[in-house]
Amino acid sequence: MFQRVGKSEASVIISVDGTRVTARAGDTVAAALLAAGLTSTRTTPISGTPRAPYCMMGVCFECLVTIDDVGNRQGCLIPVSEGMRVDTQKGKREAGR
Amino acid sequence: MSAVTSLDDHYDVAVIGAGPAGLAAATVTATAGLSTVVLDDNPAPGGQVWRAVTTTPVQDRRVLGDDYWKGQEIVQAFQASGAKHALGAAVWSLSREREIGVSFGGGARMLEARRVVIASGALERPFPIPGWTLPGVMSVGGAQTLLKASGLVPGGRVVLAGAGPLLWLFAHQMLQAGGQIHAILDTSDRAGWRAALKHAMPFVTSPYLVKGLKLMAGVRRRVRLLTGVTSLAAGGRNKVEAVIFRQGSEGGQRMAADMLLLHQGVVPNVNLAMAAGVEHHWDAQQLCFVPVLDTFGGTGIEGVAIAGDGAGIAGAEAAVERGRLAGIAAVRALKGDTGKLPDETASRKVLAKYDGARAFLDTLYRPSRGFRIPAGDTIVCRCEEVTAQQVIDNVRIGCTGPNQLKSFLRCGMGPCQGRMCGLTVTELIAETRGVTPAEIGYYRLRPPVKPIALAELASMPKTESDVTAVVRI
Ligand code: FES
């Protein structure tokens, strides 16, 4: 649960699991997902329990998502861009990605 | 710069990390006329302390405060220096010959530098408590990054728990931004105050004092503070719903919560330096591994220096000076004294001021044993979901150190490569075996220190000999 403060010039439209999400220019993917109200952003490959971004600085790898069909990308390091397709990962990374 | 092909094969100086130390070092070397590149995996310059200082939507300066906005000046000087900056560039290897492997803009490549400054900064000390993997539990630093970079303030019942200057700074910033803090659970050890007093004199004269006390007093006036917290857990099914804790030896308490933000200090980010072969030792005061360095940050590897918090925690202002010193040493080594160098003694004076105060802070905020060395089902390695009890059991049946533990339990072998569990594992094994952490050591780290996709490796420019080498196999 997060609220926005401050202002930004532009918004960026991305899709998250097929749903349209408006992010702020300058958001990282992980920030955009949290701002959109997602509580968890993946489930673990081992026990399948839900996880969410923890460090936001590239350390913990809890923010792994599939971006434009490339799996296991660190959402907290990658800025959103117009039309980006983000898919959350369930368990093991899907084969072929 | 955005494509891997826009990088040159050779630079005089490569700086890894665009925080206070890296920016300062690169400014010195580029200004002196050395070809300089800064490689950093963040989307904008500033490192973590000055995260998004050029792009933050939080333009009301009272929210993030003067120390944050100071970064603007350093970033501007850097941008005017002529140094190249590769944003979003992940460095995954560094060899003794100063060959650097980097992923950037979807490709990967090697480049060489005559001098390397590692300025990869600090990361938050692991805070392994029951339930710390639940969504809704986040590090204070993580929440602070969301505020700086995206103007996001946590809402609902937000509980902050732990100790250390960053926790108080963030509490202040969050309140300034209009956020509400349900409670702060202070885990600092009361004994810490007594022990810290003997280091108090240098602290009283240091720049930390007035700022720090004012900030804490301001927060305490507005937030419910529970002190002497000796145990802590996050409860909930698929997200955090409550914080369960104890104060001193009193009975357990339960507080409903929507977010739990954890912090117990920062430690050097050692992965790249260790993988490159830089010698580190256990610092019993700061309870972490720090590199062995000369007075300019030089390591035992010819031409490789470490500056900033990666050299031992000292804070942003000290990091700038340590970056300058590493830059000065690089210029002297490659060009001699050019007359275009910043004043070395000025840097050393500032450093002395901050160093003196550090012992007080380190002692005061020394994280207590129970929060560093977990027990039972508490997850130690978040990636491979290894618990404290599993580590203890394996040590009891003969596992002697962190490297063996990797093959026994895969502990430390997930994508974070031990960043979230390394110190916990070292201390846990040390305690179980009854020896010092120095004796146990850290995970042996090897490149790549950041995961790299096979496609990126395959796309690397190859020489004739690379190709024949592969063909022969
Ligand atoms: S949130 Fe920790 S690596 Fe992205």
Side-chain angles (χ1 to χ4, degrees):
Chain A
M1 225 186 304
F2 287 89
Q3 283 130 30
R4 294 274 195 189
V5 296
K7 54 172 186 290
S8 86
E9 326 286 272
S11 54
V12 173
I13 310 286
I14 62 171
S15 85
V16 178
D17 292 333
T19 309
R20 201 179 131 100
V21 162
T22 308
R24 246 181 196 176
D27 278 350
T28 58
V29 170
L33 298 187
L34 291 170
L38 269 75
T39 27
S40 104
T41 55
R42 69 177 185 115
T43 59
T44 64
I46 295 170
S47 63
T49 50
R51 295 277 176 95
Y54 182 84
C55 75
M56 292 303 292
M57 59 176 280
V59 170
C60 71
F61 290 75
E62 295 292 5
C63 60
L64 295 178
V65 286
T66 298
I67 299 177
D68 292 332
D69 288 327
V70 182
N72 282 350
R73 306 213 57 203
Q74 280 176 281
C76 73
L77 292 178
I78 299 169
V80 290
S81 62
E82 190 65 35
M84 185 181 254
R85 244 174 41 247
V86 180
D87 293 295
T88 57
Q89 297 184 175
K90 316 265 182 302
K92 280 208 181 61
R93 175 177 162 187
E94 289 82 353
R97 276 179 172 169
Chain B
M1 241 195 328
S2 61
V4 76
T5 47
S6 58
L7 290 169
D8 295 336
D9 292 334
H10 298 274
Y11 289 92
D12 290 327
V13 182
V15 177
I16 299 157
L23 293 174
T27 305
V28 172
T29 59
T31 306
L34 296 174
S35 67
T36 302
V37 66
V38 177
L39 307 164
D40 186 284
D41 57 6
N42 285 290
Q48 300 311 323
V49 170
W50 301 327
R51 177 83 181 228
V53 71
T54 52
T55 56
T56 180
V58 186
Q59 288 297 319
D60 177 348
R61 294 193 165 227
R62 288 165 306 182
V63 174
L64 296 173
D66 292 343
D67 285 344
Y68 175 76
W69 288 102
K70 250 185 226 167
Q72 235 179 0
E73 216 177 286
I74 306 280
V75 171
Q76 278 160 4
F78 162 73
Q79 284 166 338
S81 72
K84 273 199 176 182
H85 187 187
L87 293 164
V91 170
W92 40 265
S93 79
L94 167 65
S95 75
R96 301 187 80 87
E97 290 71 40
R98 297 180 304 282
E99 209 184 8
I100 296 169
V102 58
S103 293
F104 182 42
R109 64 168 299 152
M110 307 299 292
L111 57 88
E112 279 172 7
R114 295 163 74 198
R115 281 284 181 283
V116 172
V117 180
I118 301 175
S120 42
L123 39 88
E124 290 177 272
R125 177 187 294 282
F127 205 143
I129 55 164
W132 72 310
T133 53
L134 281 172
V137 182
M138 187 179 234
S139 76
V140 166
Q144 194 191 35
T145 295
L146 286 168
L147 175 61
K148 289 173 180 170
S150 296
L152 287 170
V153 181
R157 289 159 298 189
V158 182
V159 176
L160 273 62
L166 182 69
L167 184 142
W168 291 96
L169 174 61
F170 177 68
H172 170 78
Q173 291 171 330
M174 199 181 141
L175 295 173
Q176 290 289 103
Q180 280 186 2
I181 300 171
H182 192 56
I184 295 180
L185 308 184
D186 186 348
T187 60
S188 52
D189 209 333
R190 291 212 174 127
W193 275 102
R194 282 194 297 277
L197 277 179
K198 66 174 186 283
H199 305 291
M201 260 338 270
F203 183 74
V204 170
T205 57
S206 86
Y208 287 119
L209 179 73
V210 181
K211 265 195 276 188
L213 287 183
K214 232 174 97 183
L215 200 125
M216 281 172 81
V219 172
R220 291 175 77 142
R221 266 200 303 276
R222 295 171 59 186
V223 180
R224 180 166 161 224
L225 174 68
L226 296 152
T227 56
V229 171
T230 48
S231 89
L232 191 62
R237 260 190 73 73
N238 287 321
K239 64 177 285 295
V240 65
E241 285 155 20
V243 183
I244 301 109
F245 63 99
R246 258 172 224 282
Q247 284 176 282
S249 48
E250 288 166 31
Q253 304 179 52
R254 186 185 172 90
M255 180 186 279
D258 301 300
M259 282 205 81
L260 172 62
L261 305 178
L262 297 173
H263 177 79
Q264 54 174 349
V266 293
V267 295
N269 181 359
V270 294
N271 282 54
L272 182 67
M274 275 196 183
V278 172
E279 188 190 343
H280 285 67
H281 70 88
W282 175 255
D283 182 328
Q285 171 80 33
Q286 295 198 339
L287 299 167
C288 57
F289 290 94
V290 295
V292 179
L293 303 172
D294 67 24
T295 54
F296 285 91
T299 68
I301 302 177
E302 172 68 25
V304 176
I306 303 180
D309 274 355
I313 301 306
E317 316 236 342
V320 169
E321 305 307 335
R322 294 202 276 182
R324 285 193 182 128
L325 290 175
I328 291 172
V331 175
R332 285 194 186 139
L334 300 181
K335 285 194 103 168
D337 256 313
T338 60
K340 267 193 170 177
L341 288 176
D343 181 6
E344 183 191 327
T345 39
S347 287
R348 297 216 181 270
K349 254 198 208 142
V350 179
L351 277 182
K353 210 164 61 174
Y354 281 95
D355 282 355
R358 203 63 223 182
F360 178 81
L361 288 177
D362 289 341
T363 315
L364 180 61
Y365 290 121
R366 188 184 166 93
S368 1
R369 182 205 153 272
F371 294 118
R372 306 195 318 271
I373 306 175
D377 286 342
T378 304
I379 286 184
V380 169
C381 167
R382 298 173 61 111
C383 299
E384 299 293 333
E385 302 184 47
V386 177
T387 66
Q389 195 58 48
Q390 282 178 288
V391 174
I392 293 167
D393 290 346
N394 274 270
V395 172
R396 294 214 172 112
I397 60 167
C399 173
T400 53
N403 297 310
Q404 243 186 340
L405 202 60
K406 288 187 189 173
S407 38
F408 281 38
L409 289 173
R410 289 198 50 83
C411 192
M413 290 189 67
C416 93
Q417 297 176 311
R419 288 171 176 88
M420 298 298 291
C421 69
L423 287 173
T424 314
V425 162
T426 294
E427 286 207 89
L428 188 52
I429 297 177
E431 192 182 77
T432 311
R433 289 189 44 202
V435 299
T436 64
E439 223 169 298
I440 297 297
Y442 197 73
Y443 288 128
R444 193 177 315 112
L445 299 171
R446 291 212 183 81
V449 294
K450 285 232 129 189
I452 166 173
L454 277 177
E456 283 176 280
L457 271 184
S459 74
M460 280 190 30
K462 289 167 203 67
T463 63
E464 196 55 38
S465 64
D466 289 339
V467 175
T468 47
V470 172
V471 168
R472 264 190 226 121
I473 297 168

